[in-house]
PDB file of all heavy atoms in Angstrom:
ATOM      1  N   GLY A   1      -0.231 -21.169   7.816  1.00 65.00           N
ATOM      2  CA  GLY A   1       0.724 -20.101   7.591  1.00 65.00           C
ATOM      3  C   GLY A   1       0.627 -19.524   6.186  1.00 65.00           C
ATOM      4  O   GLY A   1       0.982 -18.370   5.944  1.00 65.00           O
ATOM      5  N   ARG A   2       0.115 -20.329   5.265  1.00 68.00           N
ATOM      6  CA  ARG A   2      -0.026 -19.907   3.868  1.00 68.00           C
ATOM      7  C   ARG A   2      -1.423 -19.414   3.510  1.00 68.00           C
ATOM      8  O   ARG A   2      -1.574 -18.584   2.608  1.00 68.00           O
ATOM      9  CB  ARG A   2       0.377 -21.071   2.951  1.00 68.00           C
ATOM     10  CG  ARG A   2       1.884 -21.235   2.881  1.00 68.00           C
ATOM     11  CD  ARG A   2       2.308 -22.645   2.504  1.00 68.00           C
ATOM     12  NE  ARG A   2       3.764 -22.743   2.411  1.00 68.00           N
ATOM     13  CZ  ARG A   2       4.571 -22.820   3.461  1.00 68.00           C
ATOM     14  NH1 ARG A   2       4.064 -22.800   4.684  1.00 68.00           N
ATOM     15  NH2 ARG A   2       5.876 -22.901   3.309  1.00 68.00           N
ATOM     16  N   ILE A   3      -2.441 -19.910   4.197  1.00 79.00           N
ATOM     17  CA  ILE A   3      -3.802 -19.527   3.800  1.00 79.00           C
ATOM     18  C   ILE A   3      -4.438 -18.465   4.699  1.00 79.00           C
ATOM     19  O   ILE A   3      -5.416 -17.829   4.290  1.00 79.00           O
ATOM     20  CB  ILE A   3      -4.731 -20.757   3.728  1.00 79.00           C
ATOM     21  CG1 ILE A   3      -4.971 -21.348   5.127  1.00 79.00           C
ATOM     22  CG2 ILE A   3      -4.190 -21.796   2.779  1.00 79.00           C
ATOM     23  CD1 ILE A   3      -6.013 -22.454   5.130  1.00 79.00           C
ATOM     24  N   VAL A   4      -3.887 -18.242   5.906  1.00 74.00           N
ATOM     25  CA  VAL A   4      -4.444 -17.214   6.787  1.00 74.00           C
ATOM     26  C   VAL A   4      -4.432 -15.828   6.134  1.00 74.00           C
ATOM     27  O   VAL A   4      -5.418 -15.078   6.252  1.00 74.00           O
ATOM     28  CB  VAL A   4      -3.709 -17.201   8.147  1.00 74.00           C
ATOM     29  CG1 VAL A   4      -3.878 -15.852   8.859  1.00 74.00           C
ATOM     30  CG2 VAL A   4      -4.231 -18.317   9.043  1.00 74.00           C
ATOM     31  N   PRO A   5      -3.342 -15.420   5.413  1.00 74.00           N
ATOM     32  CA  PRO A   5      -3.384 -14.110   4.748  1.00 74.00           C
ATOM     33  C   PRO A   5      -4.505 -13.989   3.715  1.00 74.00           C
ATOM     34  O   PRO A   5      -4.935 -12.871   3.404  1.00 74.00           O
ATOM     35  CB  PRO A   5      -2.007 -14.022   4.078  1.00 74.00           C
ATOM     36  CG  PRO A   5      -1.121 -14.888   4.912  1.00 74.00           C
ATOM     37  CD  PRO A   5      -1.997 -16.024   5.313  1.00 74.00           C
ATOM     38  N   PHE A   6      -4.973 -15.110   3.177  1.00 80.00           N
ATOM     39  CA  PHE A   6      -6.082 -15.084   2.228  1.00 80.00           C
ATOM     40  C   PHE A   6      -7.433 -15.114   2.959  1.00 80.00           C
ATOM     41  O   PHE A   6      -8.384 -14.445   2.553  1.00 80.00           O
ATOM     42  CB  PHE A   6      -5.984 -16.259   1.261  1.00 80.00           C
ATOM     43  CG  PHE A   6      -4.753 -16.236   0.400  1.00 80.00           C
ATOM     44  CD1 PHE A   6      -3.638 -16.998   0.727  1.00 80.00           C
ATOM     45  CD2 PHE A   6      -4.691 -15.424  -0.729  1.00 80.00           C
ATOM     46  CE1 PHE A   6      -2.497 -16.975  -0.048  1.00 80.00           C
ATOM     47  CE2 PHE A   6      -3.553 -15.395  -1.523  1.00 80.00           C
ATOM     48  CZ  PHE A   6      -2.453 -16.166  -1.180  1.00 80.00           C
ATOM     49  N   LEU A   7      -7.492 -15.888   4.045  1.00 81.00           N
ATOM     50  CA  LEU A   7      -8.731 -15.976   4.819  1.00 81.00           C
ATOM     51  C   LEU A   7      -9.003 -14.697   5.609  1.00 81.00           C
ATOM     52  O   LEU A   7     -10.153 -14.281   5.759  1.00 81.00           O
ATOM     53  CB  LEU A   7      -8.679 -17.173   5.779  1.00 81.00           C
ATOM     54  CG  LEU A   7      -8.727 -18.571   5.173  1.00 81.00           C
ATOM     55  CD1 LEU A   7      -8.529 -19.620   6.264  1.00 81.00           C
ATOM     56  CD2 LEU A   7     -10.046 -18.806   4.452  1.00 81.00           C
ATOM     57  N   LYS A   8      -7.938 -14.117   6.164  1.00 82.00           N
ATOM     58  CA  LYS A   8      -8.032 -12.905   6.984  1.00 82.00           C
ATOM     59  C   LYS A   8      -9.052 -13.099   8.110  1.00 82.00           C
ATOM     60  O   LYS A   8      -8.947 -14.036   8.887  1.00 82.00           O
ATOM     61  CB  LYS A   8      -8.354 -11.699   6.097  1.00 82.00           C
ATOM     62  CG  LYS A   8      -7.291 -11.437   5.036  1.00 82.00           C
ATOM     63  CD  LYS A   8      -7.655 -10.289   4.127  1.00 82.00           C
ATOM     64  CE  LYS A   8      -6.580 -10.110   3.056  1.00 82.00           C
ATOM     65  NZ  LYS A   8      -6.908  -9.035   2.091  1.00 82.00           N
ATOM     66  N   TRP A   9     -10.070 -12.216   8.182  1.00 86.00           N
ATOM     67  CA  TRP A   9     -11.063 -12.327   9.252  1.00 86.00           C
ATOM     68  C   TRP A   9     -11.880 -13.605   9.147  1.00 86.00           C
ATOM     69  O   TRP A   9     -12.438 -14.086  10.143  1.00 86.00           O
ATOM     70  CB  TRP A   9     -12.009 -11.127   9.223  1.00 86.00           C
ATOM     71  CG  TRP A   9     -11.395  -9.847   9.692  1.00 86.00           C
ATOM     72  CD1 TRP A   9     -10.804  -8.900   8.910  1.00 86.00           C
ATOM     73  CD2 TRP A   9     -11.318  -9.361  11.036  1.00 86.00           C
ATOM     74  NE1 TRP A   9     -10.351  -7.854   9.682  1.00 86.00           N
ATOM     75  CE2 TRP A   9     -10.663  -8.112  10.996  1.00 86.00           C
ATOM     76  CE3 TRP A   9     -11.737  -9.853  12.267  1.00 86.00           C
ATOM     77  CZ2 TRP A   9     -10.415  -7.341  12.134  1.00 86.00           C
ATOM     78  CZ3 TRP A   9     -11.497  -9.094  13.413  1.00 86.00           C
ATOM     79  CH2 TRP A   9     -10.844  -7.865  13.342  1.00 86.00           C
ATOM     80  N   ASN A  10     -11.952 -14.164   7.946  1.00 88.00           N
ATOM     81  CA  ASN A  10     -12.721 -15.403   7.749  1.00 88.00           C
ATOM     82  C   ASN A  10     -12.099 -16.590   8.481  1.00 88.00           C
ATOM     83  O   ASN A  10     -12.737 -17.646   8.599  1.00 88.00           O
ATOM     84  CB  ASN A  10     -12.829 -15.729   6.258  1.00 88.00           C
ATOM     85  CG  ASN A  10     -13.695 -14.734   5.507  1.00 88.00           C
ATOM     86  OD1 ASN A  10     -14.681 -14.247   6.054  1.00 88.00           O
ATOM     87  ND2 ASN A  10     -13.322 -14.416   4.282  1.00 88.00           N
ATOM     88  N   THR A  11     -10.865 -16.415   8.957  1.00 85.00           N
ATOM     89  CA  THR A  11     -10.231 -17.458   9.761  1.00 85.00           C
ATOM     90  C   THR A  11     -11.071 -17.779  10.991  1.00 85.00           C
ATOM     91  O   THR A  11     -11.180 -18.938  11.404  1.00 85.00           O
ATOM     92  CB  THR A  11      -8.814 -17.031  10.197  1.00 85.00           C
ATOM     93  OG1 THR A  11      -8.039 -16.699   9.041  1.00 85.00           O
ATOM     94  CG2 THR A  11      -8.116 -18.145  10.964  1.00 85.00           C
ATOM     95  N   PHE A  12     -11.688 -16.744  11.585  1.00 86.00           N
ATOM     96  CA  PHE A  12     -12.538 -16.961  12.760  1.00 86.00           C
ATOM     97  C   PHE A  12     -13.776 -17.784  12.405  1.00 86.00           C
ATOM     98  O   PHE A  12     -14.223 -18.613  13.196  1.00 86.00           O
ATOM     99  CB  PHE A  12     -12.956 -15.615  13.371  1.00 86.00           C
ATOM    100  CG  PHE A  12     -11.817 -14.846  13.961  1.00 86.00           C
ATOM    101  CD1 PHE A  12     -11.218 -13.821  13.247  1.00 86.00           C
ATOM    102  CD2 PHE A  12     -11.335 -15.146  15.223  1.00 86.00           C
ATOM    103  CE1 PHE A  12     -10.164 -13.103  13.789  1.00 86.00           C
ATOM    104  CE2 PHE A  12     -10.279 -14.447  15.773  1.00 86.00           C
ATOM    105  CZ  PHE A  12      -9.688 -13.410  15.043  1.00 86.00           C
ATOM    106  N   ILE A  13     -14.316 -17.537  11.217  1.00 89.00           N
ATOM    107  CA  ILE A  13     -15.470 -18.324  10.768  1.00 89.00           C
ATOM    108  C   ILE A  13     -15.055 -19.771  10.560  1.00 89.00           C
ATOM    109  O   ILE A  13     -15.783 -20.705  10.937  1.00 89.00           O
ATOM    110  CB  ILE A  13     -16.050 -17.732   9.465  1.00 89.00           C
ATOM    111  CG1 ILE A  13     -16.548 -16.312   9.712  1.00 89.00           C
ATOM    112  CG2 ILE A  13     -17.172 -18.619   8.929  1.00 89.00           C
ATOM    113  CD1 ILE A  13     -17.082 -15.612   8.470  1.00 89.00           C
ATOM    114  N   PHE A  14     -13.852 -19.977   9.985  1.00 88.00           N
ATOM    115  CA  PHE A  14     -13.335 -21.337   9.821  1.00 88.00           C
ATOM    116  C   PHE A  14     -13.193 -22.029  11.175  1.00 88.00           C
ATOM    117  O   PHE A  14     -13.600 -23.191  11.333  1.00 88.00           O
ATOM    118  CB  PHE A  14     -11.978 -21.301   9.112  1.00 88.00           C
ATOM    119  CG  PHE A  14     -11.210 -22.591   9.219  1.00 88.00           C
ATOM    120  CD1 PHE A  14     -11.526 -23.673   8.414  1.00 88.00           C
ATOM    121  CD2 PHE A  14     -10.194 -22.739  10.157  1.00 88.00           C
ATOM    122  CE1 PHE A  14     -10.841 -24.872   8.533  1.00 88.00           C
ATOM    123  CE2 PHE A  14      -9.498 -23.930  10.281  1.00 88.00           C
ATOM    124  CZ  PHE A  14      -9.819 -24.997   9.462  1.00 88.00           C
ATOM    125  N   CYS A  15     -12.613 -21.327  12.152  1.00 87.00           N
ATOM    126  CA  CYS A  15     -12.462 -21.898  13.499  1.00 87.00           C
ATOM    127  C   CYS A  15     -13.822 -22.249  14.090  1.00 87.00           C
ATOM    128  O   CYS A  15     -14.002 -23.329  14.667  1.00 87.00           O
ATOM    129  CB  CYS A  15     -11.748 -20.903  14.416  1.00 87.00           C
ATOM    130  SG  CYS A  15      -9.998 -20.667  14.080  1.00 87.00           S
ATOM    131  N   SER A  16     -14.770 -21.340  13.957  1.00 88.00           N
ATOM    132  CA  SER A  16     -16.100 -21.550  14.524  1.00 88.00           C
ATOM    133  C   SER A  16     -16.780 -22.776  13.926  1.00 88.00           C
ATOM    134  O   SER A  16     -17.261 -23.657  14.659  1.00 88.00           O
ATOM    135  CB  SER A  16     -16.965 -20.306  14.277  1.00 88.00           C
ATOM    136  OG  SER A  16     -18.292 -20.525  14.686  1.00 88.00           O
ATOM    137  N   VAL A  17     -16.810 -22.837  12.598  1.00 89.00           N
ATOM    138  CA  VAL A  17     -17.454 -23.960  11.919  1.00 89.00           C
ATOM    139  C   VAL A  17     -16.721 -25.267  12.223  1.00 89.00           C
ATOM    140  O   VAL A  17     -17.344 -26.302  12.485  1.00 89.00           O
ATOM    141  CB  VAL A  17     -17.515 -23.712  10.397  1.00 89.00           C
ATOM    142  CG1 VAL A  17     -18.053 -24.943   9.671  1.00 89.00           C
ATOM    143  CG2 VAL A  17     -18.380 -22.500  10.089  1.00 89.00           C
ATOM    144  N   GLY A  18     -15.382 -25.221  12.210  1.00 88.00           N
ATOM    145  CA  GLY A  18     -14.583 -26.416  12.481  1.00 88.00           C
ATOM    146  C   GLY A  18     -14.818 -26.965  13.878  1.00 88.00           C
ATOM    147  O   GLY A  18     -14.992 -28.179  14.061  1.00 88.00           O
ATOM    148  N   LEU A  19     -14.864 -26.069  14.876  1.00 85.00           N
ATOM    149  CA  LEU A  19     -15.097 -26.505  16.252  1.00 85.00           C
ATOM    150  C   LEU A  19     -16.511 -27.045  16.439  1.00 85.00           C
ATOM    151  O   LEU A  19     -16.718 -28.037  17.141  1.00 85.00           O
ATOM    152  CB  LEU A  19     -14.853 -25.340  17.218  1.00 85.00           C
ATOM    153  CG  LEU A  19     -13.407 -24.874  17.371  1.00 85.00           C
ATOM    154  CD1 LEU A  19     -13.330 -23.673  18.303  1.00 85.00           C
ATOM    155  CD2 LEU A  19     -12.519 -25.993  17.889  1.00 85.00           C
ATOM    156  N   PHE A  20     -17.485 -26.383  15.804  1.00 86.00           N
ATOM    157  CA  PHE A  20     -18.874 -26.831  15.937  1.00 86.00           C
ATOM    158  C   PHE A  20     -19.067 -28.216  15.324  1.00 86.00           C
ATOM    159  O   PHE A  20     -19.687 -29.094  15.935  1.00 86.00           O
ATOM    160  CB  PHE A  20     -19.817 -25.822  15.272  1.00 86.00           C
ATOM    161  CG  PHE A  20     -21.269 -26.111  15.534  1.00 86.00           C
ATOM    162  CD1 PHE A  20     -21.880 -25.669  16.691  1.00 86.00           C
ATOM    163  CD2 PHE A  20     -22.021 -26.842  14.622  1.00 86.00           C
ATOM    164  CE1 PHE A  20     -23.212 -25.944  16.947  1.00 86.00           C
ATOM    165  CE2 PHE A  20     -23.356 -27.126  14.866  1.00 86.00           C
ATOM    166  CZ  PHE A  20     -23.953 -26.671  16.037  1.00 86.00           C
ATOM    167  N   ILE A  21     -18.511 -28.420  14.133  1.00 88.00           N
ATOM    168  CA  ILE A  21     -18.623 -29.730  13.475  1.00 88.00           C
ATOM    169  C   ILE A  21     -17.908 -30.800  14.289  1.00 88.00           C
ATOM    170  O   ILE A  21     -18.418 -31.918  14.461  1.00 88.00           O
ATOM    171  CB  ILE A  21     -18.046 -29.665  12.042  1.00 88.00           C
ATOM    172  CG1 ILE A  21     -18.929 -28.778  11.156  1.00 88.00           C
ATOM    173  CG2 ILE A  21     -17.932 -31.063  11.442  1.00 88.00           C
ATOM    174  CD1 ILE A  21     -18.362 -28.549   9.774  1.00 88.00           C
ATOM    175  N   THR A  22     -16.724 -30.455  14.817  1.00 81.00           N
ATOM    176  CA  THR A  22     -15.963 -31.411  15.634  1.00 81.00           C
ATOM    177  C   THR A  22     -16.746 -31.811  16.874  1.00 81.00           C
ATOM    178  O   THR A  22     -16.822 -33.001  17.224  1.00 81.00           O
ATOM    179  CB  THR A  22     -14.614 -30.800  16.047  1.00 81.00           C
ATOM    180  OG1 THR A  22     -13.862 -30.464  14.880  1.00 81.00           O
ATOM    181  CG2 THR A  22     -13.817 -31.785  16.896  1.00 81.00           C
ATOM    182  N   SER A  23     -17.348 -30.830  17.556  1.00 79.00           N
ATOM    183  CA  SER A  23     -18.124 -31.135  18.765  1.00 79.00           C
ATOM    184  C   SER A  23     -19.313 -32.034  18.443  1.00 79.00           C
ATOM    185  O   SER A  23     -19.646 -32.939  19.212  1.00 79.00           O
ATOM    186  CB  SER A  23     -18.608 -29.837  19.426  1.00 79.00           C
ATOM    187  OG  SER A  23     -19.529 -29.148  18.595  1.00 79.00           O
ATOM    188  N   TYR A  24     -19.943 -31.796  17.303  1.00 80.00           N
ATOM    189  CA  TYR A  24     -21.090 -32.615  16.895  1.00 80.00           C
ATOM    190  C   TYR A  24     -20.650 -34.063  16.636  1.00 80.00           C
ATOM    191  O   TYR A  24     -21.307 -35.014  17.090  1.00 80.00           O
ATOM    192  CB  TYR A  24     -21.731 -32.032  15.629  1.00 80.00           C
ATOM    193  CG  TYR A  24     -22.852 -32.892  15.063  1.00 80.00           C
ATOM    194  CD1 TYR A  24     -24.125 -32.874  15.627  1.00 80.00           C
ATOM    195  CD2 TYR A  24     -22.613 -33.733  13.976  1.00 80.00           C
ATOM    196  CE1 TYR A  24     -25.147 -33.674  15.118  1.00 80.00           C
ATOM    197  CE2 TYR A  24     -23.626 -34.527  13.459  1.00 80.00           C
ATOM    198  CZ  TYR A  24     -24.889 -34.498  14.029  1.00 80.00           C
ATOM    199  OH  TYR A  24     -25.891 -35.287  13.527  1.00 80.00           O
ATOM    200  N   ILE A  25     -19.542 -34.232  15.914  1.00 81.00           N
ATOM    201  CA  ILE A  25     -19.042 -35.574  15.596  1.00 81.00           C
ATOM    202  C   ILE A  25     -18.634 -36.321  16.867  1.00 81.00           C
ATOM    203  O   ILE A  25     -18.935 -37.510  17.036  1.00 81.00           O
ATOM    204  CB  ILE A  25     -17.854 -35.494  14.618  1.00 81.00           C
ATOM    205  CG1 ILE A  25     -18.338 -34.974  13.257  1.00 81.00           C
ATOM    206  CG2 ILE A  25     -17.184 -36.857  14.457  1.00 81.00           C
ATOM    207  CD1 ILE A  25     -17.214 -34.703  12.278  1.00 81.00           C
ATOM    208  N   ILE A  26     -17.964 -35.617  17.773  1.00 76.00           N
ATOM    209  CA  ILE A  26     -17.487 -36.245  19.007  1.00 76.00           C
ATOM    210  C   ILE A  26     -18.652 -36.714  19.869  1.00 76.00           C
ATOM    211  O   ILE A  26     -18.676 -37.852  20.353  1.00 76.00           O
ATOM    212  CB  ILE A  26     -16.590 -35.271  19.803  1.00 76.00           C
ATOM    213  CG1 ILE A  26     -15.291 -34.978  19.036  1.00 76.00           C
ATOM    214  CG2 ILE A  26     -16.266 -35.842  21.180  1.00 76.00           C
ATOM    215  CD1 ILE A  26     -14.451 -36.196  18.738  1.00 76.00           C
ATOM    216  N   ILE A  27     -19.640 -35.840  20.055  1.00 75.00           N
ATOM    217  CA  ILE A  27     -20.758 -36.219  20.932  1.00 75.00           C
ATOM    218  C   ILE A  27     -21.620 -37.297  20.293  1.00 75.00           C
ATOM    219  O   ILE A  27     -22.195 -38.142  20.985  1.00 75.00           O
ATOM    220  CB  ILE A  27     -21.601 -34.971  21.294  1.00 75.00           C
ATOM    221  CG1 ILE A  27     -22.491 -35.301  22.495  1.00 75.00           C
ATOM    222  CG2 ILE A  27     -22.443 -34.504  20.119  1.00 75.00           C
ATOM    223  CD1 ILE A  27     -23.179 -34.106  23.092  1.00 75.00           C
ATOM    224  N   LYS A  28     -21.718 -37.317  18.970  1.00 73.00           N
ATOM    225  CA  LYS A  28     -22.557 -38.303  18.281  1.00 73.00           C
ATOM    226  C   LYS A  28     -21.907 -39.686  18.260  1.00 73.00           C
ATOM    227  O   LYS A  28     -22.578 -40.703  18.404  1.00 73.00           O
ATOM    228  CB  LYS A  28     -22.838 -37.840  16.852  1.00 73.00           C
ATOM    229  CG  LYS A  28     -23.769 -38.759  16.069  1.00 73.00           C
ATOM    230  CD  LYS A  28     -24.086 -38.193  14.697  1.00 73.00           C
ATOM    231  CE  LYS A  28     -24.986 -39.129  13.903  1.00 73.00           C
ATOM    232  NZ  LYS A  28     -26.300 -39.316  14.522  1.00 73.00           N
ATOM    233  N   ASN A  29     -20.579 -39.724  18.097  1.00 71.00           N
ATOM    234  CA  ASN A  29     -19.886 -40.997  17.896  1.00 71.00           C
ATOM    235  C   ASN A  29     -19.133 -41.521  19.115  1.00 71.00           C
ATOM    236  O   ASN A  29     -18.823 -42.713  19.171  1.00 71.00           O
ATOM    237  CB  ASN A  29     -18.899 -40.867  16.729  1.00 71.00           C
ATOM    238  CG  ASN A  29     -19.596 -40.632  15.408  1.00 71.00           C
ATOM    239  OD1 ASN A  29     -20.156 -41.539  14.813  1.00 71.00           O
ATOM    240  ND2 ASN A  29     -19.566 -39.395  14.940  1.00 71.00           N
ATOM    241  N   PHE A  30     -18.823 -40.643  20.084  1.00 66.00           N
ATOM    242  CA  PHE A  30     -17.969 -41.079  21.191  1.00 66.00           C
ATOM    243  C   PHE A  30     -18.551 -40.834  22.580  1.00 66.00           C
ATOM    244  O   PHE A  30     -18.392 -41.650  23.478  1.00 66.00           O
ATOM    245  CB  PHE A  30     -16.604 -40.382  21.108  1.00 66.00           C
ATOM    246  CG  PHE A  30     -15.830 -40.697  19.864  1.00 66.00           C
ATOM    247  CD1 PHE A  30     -15.788 -39.797  18.812  1.00 66.00           C
ATOM    248  CD2 PHE A  30     -15.150 -41.897  19.743  1.00 66.00           C
ATOM    249  CE1 PHE A  30     -15.059 -40.080  17.661  1.00 66.00           C
ATOM    250  CE2 PHE A  30     -14.424 -42.194  18.597  1.00 66.00           C
ATOM    251  CZ  PHE A  30     -14.393 -41.293  17.548  1.00 66.00           C
ATOM    252  N   ILE A  31     -19.198 -39.691  22.779  1.00 65.00           N
ATOM    253  CA  ILE A  31     -19.582 -39.295  24.134  1.00 65.00           C
ATOM    254  C   ILE A  31     -20.943 -39.822  24.541  1.00 65.00           C
ATOM    255  O   ILE A  31     -21.230 -40.022  25.717  1.00 65.00           O
ATOM    256  CB  ILE A  31     -19.563 -37.749  24.271  1.00 65.00           C
ATOM    257  CG1 ILE A  31     -18.210 -37.209  23.809  1.00 65.00           C
ATOM    258  CG2 ILE A  31     -19.829 -37.320  25.701  1.00 65.00           C
ATOM    259  CD1 ILE A  31     -17.036 -37.696  24.626  1.00 65.00           C
TER     260      ILE A  31
END
């Protein structure tokens, strides 16, 4: 709620990178 106004469109890049890293960690360590 505080950093989205600063990230603006870059929020989508954050989501993309965050989801990609999460999927990599999950499949490597759990799946």
Side-chain angles (χ1 to χ4, degrees):
R2 283 156 178 77
I3 68 173
V4 158
F6 297 99
L7 290 175
K8 299 177 182 177
W9 287 93
N10 292 324
T11 304
F12 293 99
I13 298 177
F14 165 79
C15 289
S16 174
V17 174
L19 291 177
F20 188 84
I21 292 174
T22 301
S23 65
Y24 175 79
I25 293 173
I26 294 301
I27 196 170
K28 183 176 179 63
N29 294 284
F30 298 101
I31 307 298

